[in-house]
């Protein structure tokens, strides 16, 4: 697809873009103030704050938004899973994201994402949509072959892939082709860093706990430096992702925007991009909802 046709594909991607937030103080008020009702908001899980913090945010957002809780497997105890599922169903949650998570895990928790996925199957697949993790730019501690085998093992128990943050559309395209060649056909929500303030991001990293900060920075492979690089632009990058999305064989189904809790800034950028693409429909981006 040529870059001249990319805006046509970009508009639906931006309208349906998902927003990821951390369960921190004030985040619910931020979302309510800046995000239109009906949008999809995903809520991460942290070993420092615990799964209860995630669920508390989900409970407060669920009446207005399509909320996707992160059920980090090594933070979920086996015996508590039925009650957890029931609680989420009672809130109207129809989608969950199941990573292994950064927690060390215990004898009572699930060993990893696959074990939790299998347990959800045994409960009758209670959620319509289940996301699993993908790593377009590799994982700092896990070989690529192990990661793609893990996706293959989990593919029948999930409905989509949510990619870790990526900054390189060429690497994204190569990874998607490789994953498809290996037989993993799940649609992909491409993880995109929102246009955030690096200084605020650094301050936030120091407030989410030293352990979480170290894990976050290690996993994101220098995300602070890469976002701050003069050559990187969220706007330019999502346009290149839109160009890739026209190739149906790559299976890109949406954008997953990492907000780093700078919700106002990221949402304002999203609306500005839509207004620029849809000059005949001013404000359409602000009113639109998406899956």
């Amino acid at each position: 697809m040529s870059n001249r046709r990319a805006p046509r594909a970009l508009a639906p991607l931006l309208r349906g873009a998902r927003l990821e937030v951390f369960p921190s103080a004030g985040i619910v008020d931020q979302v309510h103030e800046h995000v239109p009702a009906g949008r999809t908001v995903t809520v991460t899980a942290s070993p420092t704050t615990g799964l209860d913090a995630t669920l508390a945010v989900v409970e407060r957002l669920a009446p207005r938004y399509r909320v996707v809780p992160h059920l980090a497997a090594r933070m979920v105890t086996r015996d508590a899973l039925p009650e957890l599922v029931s609680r989420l169903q009672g809130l109207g949650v129809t989608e969950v994201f199941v990573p292994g998570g950064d927690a060390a895990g215990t004898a009572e928790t699930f060993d990893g994402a696959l074990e939790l996925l299998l347990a959800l199957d045994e409960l009758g697949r209670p959620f319509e949509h289940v996301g699993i993790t993908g790593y377009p730019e590799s994982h700092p501690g896990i070989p690529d072959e192990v990661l793609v085998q893990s996706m293959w093992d989990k593919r029948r128990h999930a409905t989509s892939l949510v990619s870790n943050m990526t900054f390189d559309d060429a690497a994204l395209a190569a990874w998607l082709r490789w994953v498809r060649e290996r037989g993993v056909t799940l649609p992909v929500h491409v993880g995109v860093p929102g246009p955030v303030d690096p200084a605020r991001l650094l301050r936030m990293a120091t407030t989410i706990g030293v352990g979480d900060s170290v894990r976050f920075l290690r996993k994101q492979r220098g995300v602070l430096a890469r976002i701050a690089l003069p050559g990187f632009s969220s706007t330019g990058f999502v346009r290149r992702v839109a160009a890739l999305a026209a190739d149906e064989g790559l299976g890109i189904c949406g954008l997953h925007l990492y907000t780093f809790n700078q919700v106002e800034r990221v949402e304002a950028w999203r609306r500005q991009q839509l207004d620029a693409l849809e000059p005949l429909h001013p404000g359409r981006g602000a009113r639109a909802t998406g899956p």
Side-chain angles (χ1 to χ4, degrees), residues 23-213:
S24 65
I27 190 57
V28 171
D29 292 337
Q30 282 192 57
V31 174
H32 282 158
E33 182 176 358
H34 302 294
V35 181
R39 293 283 306 287
T40 298
V41 180
T42 79
V43 186
T44 67
S46 162
T48 299
T49 57
L51 197 57
D52 284 343
T54 298
L55 297 177
V57 172
V58 170
E59 286 179 342
R60 294 179 62 192
L61 293 180
R64 292 189 62 191
Y65 303 97
R66 186 171 186 268
V67 187
V68 181
H70 291 211
L71 301 185
R74 287 181 283 274
M75 292 174 61
V76 179
T77 58
R78 295 181 182 87
D79 291 344
L81 181 62
E83 181 180 351
L84 173 60
V85 166
S86 178
R87 181 177 176 184
L88 293 175
Q89 288 180 314
L91 295 171
V93 171
T94 60
E95 179 175 358
V96 294
F97 175 60
V98 182
D102 294 325
T106 68
E108 290 76 29
T109 64
F110 291 97
D111 292 332
L114 179 58
E115 187 184 11
L116 177 51
L117 292 168
L118 291 171
L120 289 173
D121 284 359
E122 291 176 0
L123 291 175
R125 296 202 170 197
F127 302 107
E128 182 179 357
H129 302 286
V130 177
I132 58 175
T133 308
Y135 290 91
E137 298 193 36
S138 300
H139 187 288
I142 306 174
D144 288 344
E145 285 290 342
V146 174
L147 290 170
V148 77
Q149 181 63 48
S150 175
M151 286 187 287
W152 169 265
D153 294 339
K154 293 181 285 190
R155 76 196 187 286
R156 297 189 186 279
H157 313 286
T159 59
S160 67
L161 285 169
V162 180
S163 87
N164 199 35
M165 196 179 312
T166 180
F167 298 79
D168 184 338
D169 54 294
L172 172 65
W175 175 76
L176 284 169
R177 293 187 183 100
W178 182 56
V179 167
R180 300 320 182 195
E181 289 171 0
R182 296 294 295 271
V184 179
T185 60
L186 295 173
V188 176
H189 297 277
V190 177
V192 176
V196 298
D197 179 353
R200 287 184 60 193
L201 178 57
L202 180 59
R203 289 197 297 272
M204 183 209 70
T206 64
T207 65
I208 62 176
V210 174
D212 280 354
S213 298

